[in-house]
Amino acid sequence: MSDVARLAGVSQQTVSRVVRGATNVDPDIRQRVEHAIAQLRYRRNPAAAALASNRTMTIGVVSFELSVLGPTVALYGISEEARQHGYATRLVTLGSLERRGIRAAFESINSDTVDGVIVLAPLLDAITVLEDLDIGVPVVTFQQGSHPSPTSVSVDEVRGARMVVRHLLDLGHDTVWHVQGPPGWMATSSRVQGWAAELGAAGRFIPAPLETTDWSAEEGYRVGCELAAREDVTAVFAANDPFALGVIKAMDDAGRSVPEDVSVVGFDDVKEAPFFRPALTTVKLDFEAIGHIAVSRILAMIKEEAEGDIPLLEPRLILRDTTASPRSRR
């Protein structure tokens, strides 16, 4: 860094500010420093920077069920955003939902190994255990369907579920059946809440939601067979896209067409959703943005510069080919 400073004719502090991406540097000076960095092939030493700042330059991530879309995509966003700020990530996965295991995972990350922790475990038990722990570093959580707060990041999933129901009611369906997620997940609760709230506000019959044990297409198919056997089912809101895929398969096996006989809407907008047959109407959630926002807030908390609540990200209803008005209304 001193060599770069001499070549650029500036102080080492100025070089440090340029390397850290500070904005309070004159553009001409920044250009001189960047030119000197390129000439000397200077690369910042993360270990030296960590010693100088008394930081580990590492962000801990606690996650569960990386096979589930939300945490997986959010983790990618976290890794990318952390890398751009010179931080590494340390991943700890929860092996089970038992409180002892959750506590052990959190306690394995402490202020000696990380500067902050992001929790990608949107489960009611995980959040409850976390509230009783003092990790000693800033913590940001991914809490699906939660209210805005200074330390949690989320999408307005309740609103997303209401958008689905409103779309189906506007098409002329009398009510909407719901394939809900497995118990314990915050996404399950928030999507059920939005579905029931919109049906209730419209004065429509609220059928009992169909329960599942995991987020797989197999579970969607299993409960889809139950729905396919009922002639009064004309619209289904599936709590995720794999469920929707299973429901569509079950309807097809029962000789019922989507969307001619039954409209089906998913949630999450997986990359394969446009290639379902028919292409899936669903709700898009920007999980990668959640990862970027979580890292930005953690870094602000580390610097004691965090202010205000983190706004909820807005969902988007993506209209494709799996919804239509019921046959009786055509």
Side-chain angles (χ1 to χ4, degrees), residues 108-131:
S108 70
I109 296 180
N110 56 58
S111 57
D112 294 331
T113 59
V114 298
D115 297 326
V117 176
I118 298 172
V119 181
L120 291 180
L123 300 143
L124 299 174
D125 284 348
I127 301 302
T128 301
V129 172
L130 179 61
E131 291 173 349

PDB file of all heavy atoms in Angstrom, residues 108-131:
ATOM      1  N   SER A 108     -21.986 -22.492  17.922  1.00  0.00           N
ATOM      2  CA  SER A 108     -20.722 -22.785  17.238  1.00  0.00           C
ATOM      3  C   SER A 108     -20.179 -21.559  16.518  1.00  0.00           C
ATOM      4  O   SER A 108     -19.013 -21.530  16.111  1.00  0.00           O
ATOM      5  CB  SER A 108     -20.913 -23.929  16.239  1.00  0.00           C
ATOM      6  OG  SER A 108     -21.695 -23.509  15.133  1.00  0.00           O
ATOM      7  N   ILE A 109     -21.035 -20.560  16.345  1.00  0.00           N
ATOM      8  CA  ILE A 109     -20.610 -19.296  15.743  1.00  0.00           C
ATOM      9  C   ILE A 109     -20.572 -18.249  16.845  1.00  0.00           C
ATOM     10  O   ILE A 109     -21.575 -18.011  17.511  1.00  0.00           O
ATOM     11  CB  ILE A 109     -21.591 -18.844  14.638  1.00  0.00           C
ATOM     12  CG1 ILE A 109     -21.583 -19.856  13.496  1.00  0.00           C
ATOM     13  CG2 ILE A 109     -21.230 -17.469  14.119  1.00  0.00           C
ATOM     14  CD1 ILE A 109     -22.509 -19.494  12.368  1.00  0.00           C
ATOM     15  N   ASN A 110     -19.435 -17.638  17.050  1.00  0.00           N
ATOM     16  CA  ASN A 110     -19.325 -16.621  18.097  1.00  0.00           C
ATOM     17  C   ASN A 110     -18.477 -15.460  17.605  1.00  0.00           C
ATOM     18  O   ASN A 110     -17.989 -15.455  16.477  1.00  0.00           O
ATOM     19  CB  ASN A 110     -18.737 -17.229  19.378  1.00  0.00           C
ATOM     20  CG  ASN A 110     -17.395 -17.902  19.122  1.00  0.00           C
ATOM     21  OD1 ASN A 110     -16.462 -17.270  18.645  1.00  0.00           O
ATOM     22  ND2 ASN A 110     -17.312 -19.200  19.429  1.00  0.00           N
ATOM     23  N   SER A 111     -18.299 -14.473  18.465  1.00  0.00           N
ATOM     24  CA  SER A 111     -17.607 -13.244  18.071  1.00  0.00           C
ATOM     25  C   SER A 111     -16.127 -13.453  17.768  1.00  0.00           C
ATOM     26  O   SER A 111     -15.482 -12.579  17.202  1.00  0.00           O
ATOM     27  CB  SER A 111     -17.757 -12.190  19.179  1.00  0.00           C
ATOM     28  OG  SER A 111     -17.251 -12.684  20.414  1.00  0.00           O
ATOM     29  N   ASP A 112     -15.570 -14.630  18.134  1.00  0.00           N
ATOM     30  CA  ASP A 112     -14.158 -14.893  17.833  1.00  0.00           C
ATOM     31  C   ASP A 112     -13.960 -15.347  16.392  1.00  0.00           C
ATOM     32  O   ASP A 112     -12.846 -15.306  15.871  1.00  0.00           O
ATOM     33  CB  ASP A 112     -13.607 -15.975  18.773  1.00  0.00           C
ATOM     34  CG  ASP A 112     -13.565 -15.512  20.226  1.00  0.00           C
ATOM     35  OD1 ASP A 112     -13.412 -14.292  20.438  1.00  0.00           O
ATOM     36  OD2 ASP A 112     -13.702 -16.363  21.118  1.00  0.00           O
ATOM     37  N   THR A 113     -15.019 -15.820  15.742  1.00  0.00           N
ATOM     38  CA  THR A 113     -14.869 -16.391  14.402  1.00  0.00           C
ATOM     39  C   THR A 113     -15.575 -15.596  13.315  1.00  0.00           C
ATOM     40  O   THR A 113     -15.242 -15.747  12.139  1.00  0.00           O
ATOM     41  CB  THR A 113     -15.398 -17.834  14.380  1.00  0.00           C
ATOM     42  OG1 THR A 113     -16.784 -17.842  14.770  1.00  0.00           O
ATOM     43  CG2 THR A 113     -14.614 -18.722  15.331  1.00  0.00           C
ATOM     44  N   VAL A 114     -16.562 -14.778  13.666  1.00  0.00           N
ATOM     45  CA  VAL A 114     -17.294 -14.009  12.662  1.00  0.00           C
ATOM     46  C   VAL A 114     -17.580 -12.604  13.195  1.00  0.00           C
ATOM     47  O   VAL A 114     -17.552 -12.358  14.400  1.00  0.00           O
ATOM     48  CB  VAL A 114     -18.638 -14.694  12.294  1.00  0.00           C
ATOM     49  CG1 VAL A 114     -18.397 -16.062  11.679  1.00  0.00           C
ATOM     50  CG2 VAL A 114     -19.562 -14.785  13.498  1.00  0.00           C
ATOM     51  N   ASP A 115     -17.851 -11.693  12.266  1.00  0.00           N
ATOM     52  CA  ASP A 115     -18.205 -10.321  12.643  1.00  0.00           C
ATOM     53  C   ASP A 115     -19.716 -10.121  12.718  1.00  0.00           C
ATOM     54  O   ASP A 115     -20.188  -9.129  13.270  1.00  0.00           O
ATOM     55  CB  ASP A 115     -17.622  -9.332  11.629  1.00  0.00           C
ATOM     56  CG  ASP A 115     -16.102  -9.364  11.599  1.00  0.00           C
ATOM     57  OD1 ASP A 115     -15.500  -9.582  12.669  1.00  0.00           O
ATOM     58  OD2 ASP A 115     -15.525  -9.184  10.517  1.00  0.00           O
ATOM     59  N   GLY A 116     -20.468 -11.032  12.134  1.00  0.00           N
ATOM     60  CA  GLY A 116     -21.920 -10.950  12.149  1.00  0.00           C
ATOM     61  C   GLY A 116     -22.498 -12.258  11.666  1.00  0.00           C
ATOM     62  O   GLY A 116     -21.789 -13.088  11.090  1.00  0.00           O
ATOM     63  N   VAL A 117     -23.788 -12.464  11.906  1.00  0.00           N
ATOM     64  CA  VAL A 117     -24.445 -13.722  11.545  1.00  0.00           C
ATOM     65  C   VAL A 117     -25.737 -13.423  10.801  1.00  0.00           C
ATOM     66  O   VAL A 117     -26.528 -12.566  11.211  1.00  0.00           O
ATOM     67  CB  VAL A 117     -24.753 -14.581  12.785  1.00  0.00           C
ATOM     68  CG1 VAL A 117     -25.519 -15.847  12.384  1.00  0.00           C
ATOM     69  CG2 VAL A 117     -23.474 -14.963  13.514  1.00  0.00           C
ATOM     70  N   ILE A 118     -25.953 -14.141   9.693  1.00  0.00           N
ATOM     71  CA  ILE A 118     -27.221 -14.094   8.969  1.00  0.00           C
ATOM     72  C   ILE A 118     -27.886 -15.459   9.131  1.00  0.00           C
ATOM     73  O   ILE A 118     -27.261 -16.489   8.870  1.00  0.00           O
ATOM     74  CB  ILE A 118     -27.012 -13.773   7.484  1.00  0.00           C
ATOM     75  CG1 ILE A 118     -26.382 -12.385   7.334  1.00  0.00           C
ATOM     76  CG2 ILE A 118     -28.331 -13.839   6.716  1.00  0.00           C
ATOM     77  CD1 ILE A 118     -25.956 -12.048   5.912  1.00  0.00           C
ATOM     78  N   VAL A 119     -29.132 -15.455   9.562  1.00  0.00           N
ATOM     79  CA  VAL A 119     -29.850 -16.704   9.817  1.00  0.00           C
ATOM     80  C   VAL A 119     -30.845 -16.954   8.691  1.00  0.00           C
ATOM     81  O   VAL A 119     -31.832 -16.231   8.552  1.00  0.00           O
ATOM     82  CB  VAL A 119     -30.582 -16.663  11.176  1.00  0.00           C
ATOM     83  CG1 VAL A 119     -31.297 -17.993  11.431  1.00  0.00           C
ATOM     84  CG2 VAL A 119     -29.602 -16.373  12.304  1.00  0.00           C
ATOM     85  N   LEU A 120     -30.562 -17.976   7.878  1.00  0.00           N
ATOM     86  CA  LEU A 120     -31.445 -18.370   6.772  1.00  0.00           C
ATOM     87  C   LEU A 120     -32.227 -19.607   7.191  1.00  0.00           C
ATOM     88  O   LEU A 120     -32.189 -20.642   6.541  1.00  0.00           O
ATOM     89  CB  LEU A 120     -30.635 -18.676   5.515  1.00  0.00           C
ATOM     90  CG  LEU A 120     -29.955 -17.509   4.823  1.00  0.00           C
ATOM     91  CD1 LEU A 120     -29.196 -18.007   3.600  1.00  0.00           C
ATOM     92  CD2 LEU A 120     -30.964 -16.464   4.413  1.00  0.00           C
ATOM     93  N   ALA A 121     -32.902 -19.513   8.293  1.00  0.00           N
ATOM     94  CA  ALA A 121     -33.700 -20.630   8.799  1.00  0.00           C
ATOM     95  C   ALA A 121     -35.059 -20.075   9.195  1.00  0.00           C
ATOM     96  O   ALA A 121     -35.329 -19.861  10.383  1.00  0.00           O
ATOM     97  CB  ALA A 121     -33.002 -21.289   9.994  1.00  0.00           C
ATOM     98  N   PRO A 122     -35.923 -19.818   8.200  1.00  0.00           N
ATOM     99  CA  PRO A 122     -37.222 -19.196   8.489  1.00  0.00           C
ATOM    100  C   PRO A 122     -38.203 -20.176   9.122  1.00  0.00           C
ATOM    101  O   PRO A 122     -39.244 -20.521   8.579  1.00  0.00           O
ATOM    102  CB  PRO A 122     -37.692 -18.731   7.105  1.00  0.00           C
ATOM    103  CG  PRO A 122     -37.053 -19.688   6.163  1.00  0.00           C
ATOM    104  CD  PRO A 122     -35.734 -20.057   6.770  1.00  0.00           C
ATOM    105  N   LEU A 123     -37.807 -20.660  10.314  1.00  0.00           N
ATOM    106  CA  LEU A 123     -38.596 -21.636  11.050  1.00  0.00           C
ATOM    107  C   LEU A 123     -38.946 -21.057  12.414  1.00  0.00           C
ATOM    108  O   LEU A 123     -38.115 -20.399  13.056  1.00  0.00           O
ATOM    109  CB  LEU A 123     -37.798 -22.928  11.226  1.00  0.00           C
ATOM    110  CG  LEU A 123     -37.379 -23.598   9.914  1.00  0.00           C
ATOM    111  CD1 LEU A 123     -35.997 -24.202  10.041  1.00  0.00           C
ATOM    112  CD2 LEU A 123     -38.392 -24.654   9.534  1.00  0.00           C
ATOM    113  N   LEU A 124     -40.142 -21.323  12.870  1.00  0.00           N
ATOM    114  CA  LEU A 124     -40.594 -20.750  14.126  1.00  0.00           C
ATOM    115  C   LEU A 124     -39.698 -21.172  15.284  1.00  0.00           C
ATOM    116  O   LEU A 124     -39.340 -20.349  16.132  1.00  0.00           O
ATOM    117  CB  LEU A 124     -42.042 -21.168  14.388  1.00  0.00           C
ATOM    118  CG  LEU A 124     -43.060 -20.704  13.334  1.00  0.00           C
ATOM    119  CD1 LEU A 124     -44.429 -21.302  13.614  1.00  0.00           C
ATOM    120  CD2 LEU A 124     -43.138 -19.183  13.293  1.00  0.00           C
ATOM    121  N   ASP A 125     -39.293 -22.449  15.336  1.00  0.00           N
ATOM    122  CA  ASP A 125     -38.443 -22.929  16.433  1.00  0.00           C
ATOM    123  C   ASP A 125     -37.074 -22.270  16.409  1.00  0.00           C
ATOM    124  O   ASP A 125     -36.516 -21.925  17.457  1.00  0.00           O
ATOM    125  CB  ASP A 125     -38.283 -24.449  16.357  1.00  0.00           C
ATOM    126  CG  ASP A 125     -39.525 -25.194  16.826  1.00  0.00           C
ATOM    127  OD1 ASP A 125     -40.408 -24.546  17.418  1.00  0.00           O
ATOM    128  OD2 ASP A 125     -39.612 -26.417  16.597  1.00  0.00           O
ATOM    129  N   ALA A 126     -36.491 -22.105  15.218  1.00  0.00           N
ATOM    130  CA  ALA A 126     -35.160 -21.507  15.106  1.00  0.00           C
ATOM    131  C   ALA A 126     -35.173 -20.066  15.604  1.00  0.00           C
ATOM    132  O   ALA A 126     -34.265 -19.633  16.332  1.00  0.00           O
ATOM    133  CB  ALA A 126     -34.674 -21.570  13.666  1.00  0.00           C
ATOM    134  N   ILE A 127     -36.184 -19.318  15.233  1.00  0.00           N
ATOM    135  CA  ILE A 127     -36.267 -17.925  15.663  1.00  0.00           C
ATOM    136  C   ILE A 127     -36.485 -17.832  17.165  1.00  0.00           C
ATOM    137  O   ILE A 127     -35.904 -16.976  17.842  1.00  0.00           O
ATOM    138  CB  ILE A 127     -37.390 -17.195  14.904  1.00  0.00           C
ATOM    139  CG1 ILE A 127     -37.125 -17.236  13.393  1.00  0.00           C
ATOM    140  CG2 ILE A 127     -37.524 -15.765  15.388  1.00  0.00           C
ATOM    141  CD1 ILE A 127     -35.806 -16.628  12.973  1.00  0.00           C
ATOM    142  N   THR A 128     -37.290 -18.731  17.716  1.00  0.00           N
ATOM    143  CA  THR A 128     -37.538 -18.745  19.158  1.00  0.00           C
ATOM    144  C   THR A 128     -36.257 -19.014  19.928  1.00  0.00           C
ATOM    145  O   THR A 128     -35.957 -18.340  20.922  1.00  0.00           O
ATOM    146  CB  THR A 128     -38.594 -19.808  19.517  1.00  0.00           C
ATOM    147  OG1 THR A 128     -39.815 -19.513  18.826  1.00  0.00           O
ATOM    148  CG2 THR A 128     -38.852 -19.822  21.015  1.00  0.00           C
ATOM    149  N   VAL A 129     -35.472 -20.000  19.489  1.00  0.00           N
ATOM    150  CA  VAL A 129     -34.205 -20.312  20.152  1.00  0.00           C
ATOM    151  C   VAL A 129     -33.246 -19.136  20.031  1.00  0.00           C
ATOM    152  O   VAL A 129     -32.556 -18.768  20.992  1.00  0.00           O
ATOM    153  CB  VAL A 129     -33.574 -21.581  19.550  1.00  0.00           C
ATOM    154  CG1 VAL A 129     -32.160 -21.791  20.097  1.00  0.00           C
ATOM    155  CG2 VAL A 129     -34.434 -22.802  19.855  1.00  0.00           C
ATOM    156  N   LEU A 130     -33.190 -18.519  18.862  1.00  0.00           N
ATOM    157  CA  LEU A 130     -32.278 -17.403  18.632  1.00  0.00           C
ATOM    158  C   LEU A 130     -32.551 -16.249  19.587  1.00  0.00           C
ATOM    159  O   LEU A 130     -31.623 -15.581  20.060  1.00  0.00           O
ATOM    160  CB  LEU A 130     -32.404 -16.927  17.183  1.00  0.00           C
ATOM    161  CG  LEU A 130     -31.535 -15.743  16.760  1.00  0.00           C
ATOM    162  CD1 LEU A 130     -30.059 -16.089  16.917  1.00  0.00           C
ATOM    163  CD2 LEU A 130     -31.843 -15.338  15.332  1.00  0.00           C
ATOM    164  N   GLU A 131     -33.812 -16.011  19.896  1.00  0.00           N
ATOM    165  CA  GLU A 131     -34.179 -14.904  20.788  1.00  0.00           C
ATOM    166  C   GLU A 131     -33.607 -15.084  22.185  1.00  0.00           C
ATOM    167  O   GLU A 131     -33.435 -14.106  22.916  1.00  0.00           O
ATOM    168  CB  GLU A 131     -35.698 -14.773  20.854  1.00  0.00           C
ATOM    169  CG  GLU A 131     -36.316 -14.271  19.547  1.00  0.00           C
ATOM    170  CD  GLU A 131     -37.825 -14.312  19.567  1.00  0.00           C
ATOM    171  OE1 GLU A 131     -38.393 -14.922  20.514  1.00  0.00           O
ATOM    172  OE2 GLU A 131     -38.460 -13.743  18.649  1.00  0.00           O
TER     173      GLU A 131
END
